[in-house]
Amino acid sequence: MEKKRIAVIFGGKSSEHEISRVSASYVISQIPADKYEIITIGITKSGRWFLYCGPTEKISDGSWEKDENNLTAFIAPAPSVHGIIIINKDGSTRKLYLDVVFPVLHGKNGEDGTLQGLLEMSEIPYVGCGVLASAECMDKISTNIMFKHAGIDQAAFTWFYSSQYFADPEKYIAQIENDLGSYPVFVKPANAGSSVGISKAHDRSELHAAIEKAAKEDSRILVEENIVGKEVECAVLGNKDIFVSVPGQIAPAAEFYDYDAKYCSNDSQLYIPAHISDETAEKVKKIAAKAYLALECEGLSRVDFFVTDEGRILLNEINTLPGFTSISMYPKLMAESGLGGSDLIERLISLAFERADKNV
Ligand SMILES: Nc1ncnc2c1ncn2[C@@H]1O[C@H](COP(=O)(O)OP(=O)(O)OP(=O)(O)O)[C@@H](O)[C@H]1O
Ligand SMILES: [Mg+2]
C-alpha cells in the first residue's frame, strides 16, 4: 500500500506555542511510519511558516527554528494544489501534495477556526473540529451562550466589552455583583486559553485589577460565579457517532488550575477514573456527548466540568485541540478506554478522511 502523506503543523502565534511543540512531538511519535510519510510544518511565534525536516527532538525544545535547511512553506488555499507551496533557497517554488493535515496547534490561530478555514478552502482533509465548532469553543462567551441555549448547566455568568467597562466601571461592577451574587468571581478574557489573563477576584478592588488584566488579552470580558468542586474531564472521539471516555479528574496544585499548575508544576495530579460516583460519572458522560454534538464538534474534544459535593454537574468548557503530550489527560483517558498511542492517532486520521468523504 502506498503511504499517505500527512503534515503535522505545530507552534503558532498563540500563548500556547510551547505546549503545541510538545504535543506535536508526541503526535509525530505515534503516527505509524509504515503507513504515513510525515512532514512537519512549524509556525514561529511571529507567524512565519517553515517546512522543517530535522529530528523531532528539536521540535519540543524549540531549536527547530535554527535549522538551516528550513524552507518557507505554507498551505495553499487553492484546491488545485491540495498541499503546500515551498519556496526554495534560490527563490523558485514547488508544490507538495498532502493527503491529510494534523493541526497540533492550541489557542489563537490554530484551535479557533482560522487555520480550519484555510484547510476547508484547500480541500485537504484535516484532523479535528471544523470552523464553527473551533471558533465557538475557543470563545468562552460564545460557548457559554451555546450551553445556555442547549439547556446545559454551567456557572452563572455575565459579559461586556472592556471599552464599556472602562467608560463606566461602577455600572459594570454593579451588574456583576447583581448577576453573580457574591465574591469570589472568575474573570476571563473571552479568547485566550491556558488560563492566560484569568483571575479569581475576592472583592471589588481585585475585580477591577482582574478586569484590567483580562482586558490586555481580549476586548470582551467574561465574569463567572466561583464554583467549588472537582474538575472532571471527558475525552470525546468521533464525528456523529461518538465515543465518550470514562471521566478523569485534575487536582490542581495551585488555588486554581492556572498556567503554572498546568504546565510547570509536577504537583498537579490526574486521577483516572475521577473520584465521583458511577452514577455521577454516567451523567457527566451524557452531558459531554450532548455538549459535543450541540457545538458540532468533530474528530476530538476534551469536555471539562465542575462537579460539586452536592452532585451538581456544571460544564466549564470544550477544548477542541486539548493538550496532547504523553502526560496529557486526553490521550490518557483514551488509552484507559482501550485506544492508546498510535491506535488513537490512526483513528483520528481516519475520522478526518471520513468527514472529507461525506462532504463531497
Ligand atoms: N467559574 C469558575 N469557578 C471556579 N473555578 C474556575 C471557574 N472558571 C475557571 N476556573 C478555574 O480556572 C481554570 C482555568 O479556567 P478555564 O478552564 O475556563 O480556562 P482555560 O483553561 O484558560 O482554557 P483552556 O483550557 O481552553 O486553555 C479552571 O481549570 C479552573 O481551575
Ligand atoms: Mg480549562
Side-chain angles (χ1 to χ4, degrees):
M1 200 182 74
E2 214 182 306
K3 284 190 190 180
K4 292 210 185 298
R5 190 178 290 137
I6 183 165
V8 173
I9 310 184
F10 64 89
K13 283 174 84 176
S14 89
S15 53
E16 292 159 286
H17 176 101
E18 285 80 10
I19 310 136
S20 153
R21 292 197 323 247
V22 183
S23 292
S25 308
Y26 176 72
V27 168
I28 292 163
S29 74
Q30 301 300 317
I31 298 176
D34 55 331
K35 294 188 186 146
Y36 293 94
E37 177 197 339
I38 307 166
I39 70 154
T40 49
I41 299 169
I43 306 175
T44 67
K45 271 199 155 173
S46 61
R48 299 172 69 200
W49 289 51
F50 292 109
L51 174 64
Y52 166 69
C53 301
T56 309
E57 304 81 74
K58 289 190 172 184
I59 294 179
S60 31
D61 71 15
S63 58
W64 73 275
E65 279 190 34
K66 299 196 182 76
D67 193 299
E68 53 191 32
N69 294 319
N70 285 346
L71 292 174
T72 294
F74 38 80
I75 303 279
S80 56
V81 177
H82 207 283
I84 54 172
I85 302 284
I86 304 167
I87 304 181
N88 296 315
K89 293 258 164 36
D90 64 5
S92 62
T93 59
R94 70 190 145 101
K95 299 189 270 191
L96 185 69
Y97 184 91
L98 297 177
D99 290 291
V100 59
V101 169
F102 198 144
V104 192
L105 294 142
H106 307 303
K108 261 180 206 167
N109 288 336
E111 194 181 347
D112 61 359
T114 49
L115 181 64
Q116 288 72 16
L118 174 62
L119 292 166
E120 286 292 335
M121 291 183 81
S122 76
E123 295 181 11
I124 309 168
Y126 60 96
V127 172
C129 291
V131 175
L132 181 63
S134 301
E136 274 173 352
C137 292
M138 183 71 202
D139 187 284
K140 293 183 195 301
I141 295 171
S142 294
T143 332
N144 280 14
I145 293 169
M146 289 296 287
F147 291 161
K148 199 170 180 176
H149 188 73
I152 294 170
D153 260 351
Q154 60 189 325
F157 70 97
T158 188
W159 75 274
F160 43 83
Y161 287 93
S162 58
S163 55
Q164 292 178 305
Y165 174 81
F166 292 119
D168 190 355
E170 279 78 33
K171 177 178 161 195
Y172 287 90
I173 289 194
Q175 178 184 316
I176 293 163
E177 291 177 349
N178 185 49
D179 289 354
L180 306 184
S182 62
Y183 289 96
V185 293
F186 264 82
V187 180
K188 311 179 180 183
N191 264 285
S194 274
S195 308
V196 175
I198 297 186
S199 356
K200 187 172 177 176
H202 299 81
D203 53 39
R204 272 190 198 178
S205 74
E206 282 186 20
L207 177 60
H208 182 73
I211 294 171
E212 283 188 324
K213 185 173 165 191
K216 292 204 172 82
E217 305 297 327
D218 198 351
S219 58
R220 285 152 67 244
I221 314 279
L222 172 68
V223 186
E224 287 179 354
E225 149 200 27
N226 176 51
I227 304 295
V228 180
K230 298 187 173 83
E231 294 197 45
V232 168
E233 311 183 336
C234 285
V236 185
L237 177 83
N239 291 340
K240 291 288 165 282
D241 194 8
I242 60 175
F243 171 80
V244 185
S245 76
V246 58
Q249 182 182 341
I250 49 166
E255 191 181 356
F256 71 95
Y257 205 41
D258 62 8
Y259 192 90
D260 276 353
K262 259 181 203 166
Y263 304 112
C264 308
S265 148
N266 292 320
D267 303 335
S268 293
Q269 286 197 349
L270 304 189
Y271 303 125
I272 300 175
H275 296 171
I276 52 176
S277 69
D278 291 350
E279 193 195 344
T280 306
E282 278 315 306
K283 285 188 192 153
V284 165
K285 287 173 70 172
K286 277 215 177 91
I287 303 169
K290 183 175 175 185
Y292 187 92
L293 294 172
L295 276 94
E296 276 209 285
C297 295
E298 289 171 312
L300 77 159
S301 286
R302 197 190 71 221
V303 186
D304 296 355
F305 296 87
F306 299 111
V307 176
T308 71
D309 288 347
E310 302 80 54
R312 280 184 77 199
I313 301 168
L314 303 158
L315 218 156
N316 176 28
E317 60 165 349
I318 301 183
N319 292 284
T320 53
L321 211 108
F324 223 112
T325 71
S326 59
I327 58 159
S328 296
M329 187 64 114
Y330 188 92
K332 284 197 158 198
L333 286 174
M334 291 308 299
E336 181 71 17
S337 309
L339 201 64
S342 30
D343 291 340
L344 171 60
I345 299 295
E346 275 203 81
R347 184 74 195 113
L348 287 169
I349 298 170
S350 57
L351 285 167
F353 285 120
E354 280 170 31
R355 174 179 53 195
D357 286 347
K358 285 214 181 80
N359 285 347
V360 285

